Amino acid sequence: AQKITQTQPGMFVQEKEAVTLDCTYDTSDQSYGLFWYKQPSSGEMIFLIYQGSYDEQNATEGRYSLNFQKARKSANLVISASQLGDSAMYFCAMREVGGATNKLIFGTGTLLAVQP
Amino acid sequence: GAVVSQHPSRVICKSGTSVKIECRSLDFQATTMFWYRQFPKQSLMLMATSNEGSKATYEQGVEKDKFLINHASLTLSTLTVTSAHPEDSSFYICSARDRKGPQHFGDGTRLSIL
């Protein structure tokens, strides 16, 4: 069965510094997709970044980058130059590519607090 | 802008009431939509997969008769919480996936049953 693990319930980071949010996954599938979503206190889920299992390069989207280490089954999110508005819950998720349902499996989330 | 619209954003109602939540894909057709439930400070738990024109697929432990799902068109799925009770109070959020993109989420519905 697929599983996503986020071991950091909460993280603090100083404004303008970089922070890494950990995510490890477990799957027997060869094709899968990894996602990071941000959930502010208002509740909406905001898509941040995607990494396909066959992508050779690490995904980057602006200040977000995904440190994908396939052999270790890890997909850590790196946020550079943290901003106060980055304070939120962050969820790592995995989807089986080509599966019948394309459903996402979520980790338990990491609460990030950016300090001024 | 939003590509998935969820309505209402907040519902407060009496115990025993049935509540309907709508999820619409705005710019694309979604043959599959997903319904999640999230308790405070917890992760999203998939409740069911909504399939256009056929029965929804429910996750283990989710009562089909309690949480009715209808996906009558390619852009609309509805979740009805029947005879809601206080323990059904939660944050419900839907998502839909465009053909090649990530899943896009609605803004969620905070359901409070008094």
Side-chain angles (χ1 to χ4, degrees), chain A residues 37 39 95 101-103 107, chain B residues 34 38 43 59 97 103:
Chain A
Y37 285 87
Q39 187 180 41
R95 181 186 77 212
T101 62
N102 293 309
K103 63 184 180 183
Chain B
F34 304 90
Q38 186 181 29
S43 186
E59 296 298 303
R97 180 172 175 248
Q103 280 192 25

Side-chain angles (χ1 to χ4, degrees), chain A residues 35 37 39 41-45 47 89 91 95 100-104 106-109, chain B residues 32 34 36 38 42-44 46 49 59 91 93 97 101-107 110:
Chain A
F35 302 78
Y37 285 87
Q39 187 180 41
S41 58
S42 51
E44 71 269 30
M45 293 288 283
F47 165 72
M89 278 291 284
F91 290 98
R95 181 186 77 212
T101 62
N102 293 309
K103 63 184 180 183
L104 289 178
F106 285 87
T108 51
Chain B
T32 304
F34 304 90
Y36 295 85
Q38 186 181 29
Q42 294 189 22
S43 186
L44 279 72
L46 180 66
T49 302
E59 296 298 303
F91 186 66
I93 192 166
R97 180 172 175 248
Q103 280 192 25
H104 295 282
F105 286 81
D107 287 343
R110 293 195 186 278

Side-chain angles (χ1 to χ4, degrees), chain B residues 20-46:
Chain B
K20 180 186 280 188
I21 304 170
E22 293 187 348
C23 182
R24 295 180 185 271
S25 58
L26 299 180
D27 299 325
F28 61 98
Q29 294 181 331
T31 56
T32 304
M33 292 185 178
F34 304 90
W35 287 96
Y36 295 85
R37 182 175 183 175
Q38 186 181 29
F39 289 106
K41 300 183 181 180
Q42 294 189 22
S43 186
L44 279 72
M45 298 301 296
L46 180 66

